[in-house]
Every structure is written in structure tokens, then in C-alpha cells.
Amino acid sequence: MNLSKKEKSIIYINYSPYENSGNILDYLLENFTFVYLFTIAFHPLGSNQKTNKIIIYKNKKIIKETLIHYMHVPAKLVFFLIPIRSSINLLQLFWHTLSIVKVNGKIDVYFSVNAFTIWGGIILKKLGMVKKTVFWVWDYYPINHKSLVVRMMRRLYWQFDKFATRADKVIYLNKTMVRARKKAGLPLGSKYLIIPIGTNLNYGLNRLTSKKVKLGFIGVVKKSQGLDLLFDSADLLQKNFPGITLEVIGAGPDEEYFKKRAKESAISTIFYGLVGEKEIYKILSRCTIGVAPYLPDESNVSYYGDPAKVKIYLGSNLPTIITNVFEFSKELEENGAGVIVDYYKREELVKGIKKIMKSYKKYNTNAVKLNKKYYYKKIYTGMFDF
């Protein structure tokens, strides 16, 4: 499928606040004339969260925004009500896609990172509304979760996942995800690619060695992201790095829990909530080390994915402290752009920070080099070639 940019249109569905993770939205805007972004809210992420909406871009500029129904639910009921909320979202997606097609004609590409919405895209293709479907698989949901409700929802998701691999193009983030799916007996698709989350080249952040340690964290504020490690180690960190601070960018279901922990902690912590992309890089430019202390739990979805937060740290030329959860963790350490620590050994966190601070210029330089390897304009090439 080789269309001139003038002819290209794409429907892109993702969950807030991940719409531009790895600069994927930037890439779409650079390569498609019309981008129809369906952004869906999942976890309650505070007052700054965008509700469900459709944003229509033409030549990189927003020409229309439409709010669509968002079913507000208490955080405790999020997983219970997934089938109802997802069905409502899909019906709205069908309706608005029909409206778009009536005005502008058949859509060239339907693109999503979620199996349920890709399942909807395959139906829309059969109905003649879209030409091609692309499934970029961001998540693998293992069944071995302690919660019965979560296990049930994941089994249900697997049913749509099996169908979603019939998309015209299926893309996985890494080999770990491919191996896990093979082991679980899930189909991979007749032809698939491996494309990780990309980075952006954020030049101009000349970092100098600083005696004061300022840790930066970005992501959904929930326990599986591992922030407990920092607060559990607060006294030890303050003893070894007097004046150490933590800057938390993002919101999430456990935000109040961590704010309470921060108040009782020896580490001075600032919670920014959801902020725009420019503000993210501005905050991280003041930090010395990025932290990605994911909980090492094989039932955790993050265990099989690609650490988007680390790609943002690399885009800010930040060395990273990371747990050994990802396939990418080893690459980060082997390239001298970060240090792996054991989540259950607090002294390793201290040693890791000391190691980076002792050779900060080297780690900073290596972060810049690794960042260039994953530059989104380079690694996304071919994602939409048919």
C-alpha cells in the first residue's frame, strides 16, 4: 500500500495518557494528512485528565475536537466494569467512524495498541469503512494474577486478542512478548514485526555533574510501578545523599497512597500530576537520574512490555535506575546508560545511584548514544507499509 501523503488518512485509538508514547502520534502526524485520534480514559487520573474525545488533525493541525461519552466509575470498580465501558466505547467508535467515512470517504489505515479496539477495526474493514488494520501489541496479560476479577477480565481479553492477530499487520514490542505468547498458545499473526517504543532527540540538555541527587519519575502512579522502593529506602537514601529529592510526573489510582507516604518520608517529594509534553521535559531537565523501579512480578503487565518511561528519560539524556524486569533493562546497563538494581535490596539502590554519580558524564554520554539508536523517525519506518 503506497499512498502519497496527500491521500493518507488514519484512525488511531489509544488510552490516555499514552497517546504520544514513544512519539507515535508525532510520527502519525508527520506521515498522514488526516489523523483521527480516539483517546480513551481508563484509570481515573485526576482533574487534568482528558476525558474520552475524538481529535481530528489535518496537516498536523487540530481542526476539530469532539467530546464523547465517558463512563465515570470509582477506582475500585474499574476492572469490574471493563466489559460495559469497552462496549460503550466501541459503539461510539463505530458511530463516529461511520460519520467520518460519510464525509471524507474510506479510511486508509485503522491503528490501535489494544486487541478489543483492533477487533472493532477488523469489523469496520469487513464493512468497507477502512482499508487496512495495524495492531501494535503493547500488552501481554498473564493469567497468573492474584485477583479473580483481573484473571477473568484477562481471559476475556485473550478471546479478542486471538481474533485481533488477523489484522493486516501485527507488531510486537520485543522478543519477550513473542515468547510469552507462544508459550501461552496465543497466535502471533501470519506475518509480524518487532518494533519497540521509540525515543525523541532532545538536544540542548547539557547535564553537569551535580553533588545533589534529584530523582525523576514519570508514569501512572500505581503500586506496580515500584515507587514503594524509594519510600522504603528513604532514610537510607537521605543518609547517603543529603538533600535528595524526588519529582513525580503523572497521576493514577494510588496517587493518594503515595502522597501520604511522601509526607511521612525523609525524601522531599513533589507531585506534578498530569502535565504537557514540554513541561515533562522541563521538569526532567532539572533531574539528575530517572527511576524505573518496576515491581518484579510476572503477573504484572509491565513485565512483558517496553519501558516507555525509560525512553522518555533517554530523550532527556538522563541515566536511569531500573529493576531487572524488562528485556530492555539489560541493554540499558550493558550500554552504560543505566544501572539495574534488585527491588528487594535497598542497598543496591544506594550503590546504583553512587555508581552513576561517580561517573556521571560517562553515563550521560551513553544515554545520549542509546537514545539515538531508538529515535522514533528511524525505527518506525515501514510500520505502515503494505
Side-chain angles (χ1 to χ4, degrees):
M1 180 180 179
N2 295 308
L3 299 173
S4 67
K5 184 177 177 182
K6 184 178 179 181
E7 298 172 294
K8 285 187 178 180
S9 61
I10 186 168
I11 286 178
Y12 167 45
I13 305 99
N14 208 337
Y15 288 86
S16 175
Y18 304 109
E19 299 92 338
N20 199 32
S21 288
N23 297 91
I24 183 59
L25 179 57
D26 291 336
Y27 185 79
L28 299 181
L29 293 173
E30 290 161 6
N31 290 276
F32 291 86
T33 301
F34 289 95
V35 176
Y36 304 99
L37 170 63
F38 286 74
T39 175
I40 302 170
F42 185 68
H43 285 295
L45 297 177
S47 58
N48 292 330
Q49 183 181 23
K50 302 172 185 176
T51 185
N52 291 359
K53 64 168 62 175
I54 304 167
I55 305 175
I56 299 177
Y57 297 85
K58 182 179 180 181
N59 294 322
K60 301 183 183 180
K61 294 182 179 180
I62 296 175
I63 61 172
K64 186 178 181 180
E65 289 191 40
T66 304
L67 294 179
I68 56 178
H69 177 73
Y70 172 66
M71 183 179 175
H72 291 272
V73 297
K76 292 181 180 180
L77 295 178
V78 166
F79 283 98
F80 283 100
L81 296 175
I82 283 176
I84 296 174
R85 298 175 84 202
S86 297
S87 297
I88 291 171
N89 291 336
L90 191 65
L91 288 172
Q92 293 187 97
L93 175 61
F94 284 169
W95 174 257
H96 288 282
T97 299
L98 177 61
S99 300
I100 291 168
V101 171
K102 281 184 177 180
V103 175
N104 298 322
K106 187 182 290 189
I107 307 298
D108 292 310
V109 180
Y110 180 104
F111 173 55
S112 180
V113 301
N114 175 269
F116 185 67
T117 52
I118 278 293
W119 174 76
I122 293 172
I123 292 174
L124 288 172
K125 181 185 175 184
K126 290 182 179 295
L127 294 174
M129 296 189 200
V130 300
K131 297 177 183 177
K132 297 289 184 180
T133 53
V134 178
F135 182 21
W136 193 14
V137 188
W138 276 11
D139 298 306
Y140 169 75
Y141 293 98
I143 301 300
N144 59 332
H145 196 277
K146 61 182 180 181
S147 167
L148 175 61
V149 174
V150 174
R151 290 201 302 272
M152 288 173 60
M153 292 302 105
R154 289 183 176 182
R155 285 191 181 279
L156 178 61
Y157 183 85
W158 272 20
Q159 306 314 307
F160 293 102
D161 185 290
K162 293 173 183 178
F163 190 87
T165 55
R166 299 179 188 179
D168 294 294
K169 180 170 283 189
V170 181
I171 305 166
Y172 296 97
L173 291 177
N174 52 47
K175 293 178 181 178
T176 298
M177 186 178 288
V178 171
R179 287 194 294 268
R181 291 177 65 90
K182 283 181 178 178
K183 186 177 180 181
L186 290 172
L188 295 173
S190 57
K191 294 181 180 179
Y192 66 87
L193 299 176
I194 293 178
I195 300 178
I197 290 173
T199 64
N200 197 7
L201 300 182
N202 198 357
Y203 294 113
L205 294 177
N206 297 317
R207 299 186 175 280
L208 301 175
T209 303
S210 172
K211 292 183 179 179
K212 186 175 180 180
V213 176
K214 182 175 285 190
L215 304 177
F217 171 91
I218 182 170
V220 176
V221 183
K222 55 183 179 179
K223 292 179 182 178
S224 63
Q225 297 281 301
L227 280 173
D228 276 312
L229 171 61
L230 302 178
F231 294 118
D232 289 343
S233 311
D235 292 336
L236 191 61
L237 291 172
Q238 189 62 245
K239 179 182 177 181
N240 285 272
F241 312 103
I244 186 172
T245 59
L246 171 64
E247 312 241 322
V248 178
I249 306 168
D254 297 319
E255 188 173 356
E256 293 306 315
Y257 164 81
F258 283 113
K259 283 182 176 179
K260 184 178 180 181
R261 290 217 64 183
K263 285 181 181 179
E264 301 168 351
S265 170
I267 300 177
S268 176
T269 306
I270 299 175
F271 290 85
Y272 291 94
L274 291 178
V275 299
E277 190 170 332
K278 289 183 180 180
E279 186 66 16
I280 288 171
Y281 285 109
K282 184 178 178 181
I283 294 167
L284 291 178
S285 71
R286 301 193 294 264
C287 297
T288 47
I289 298 174
V291 289
Y294 293 89
L295 197 63
D297 177 4
E298 289 191 23
S299 70
N300 183 357
V301 176
S302 298
Y303 196 88
Y304 304 90
D306 195 29
K309 64 166 54 59
V310 178
K311 301 299 179 68
I312 294 174
Y313 299 153
L314 289 176
S316 299
N317 303 344
L318 271 179
T320 301
I321 293 288
I322 191 169
T323 47
N324 195 16
V325 170
F326 300 96
E327 184 178 306
F328 187 72
S329 298
K330 293 182 179 65
E331 183 175 359
L332 189 73
E333 186 171 67
E334 289 170 357
N335 282 273
V339 174
I340 295 174
V341 300
D342 189 322
Y343 181 88
Y344 298 105
K345 295 179 179 178
R346 301 176 194 176
E347 64 276 10
E348 283 199 13
L349 177 61
V350 173
K351 289 179 182 178
I353 294 174
K354 284 183 176 179
K355 187 174 182 180
I356 290 175
M357 296 304 291
K358 185 178 180 180
S359 306
Y360 193 80
K361 186 176 181 180
K362 181 187 75 173
Y363 276 95
N364 175 221
T365 300
N366 290 336
V368 173
K369 290 179 180 177
L370 188 58
N371 182 44
K372 290 178 180 177
K373 176 182 176 181
Y374 287 95
Y375 183 37
Y376 79 92
K377 291 189 180 183
K378 180 169 66 175
I379 68 170
Y380 294 163
T381 302
M383 185 178 277
F384 299 103
D385 289 345
F386 296 95

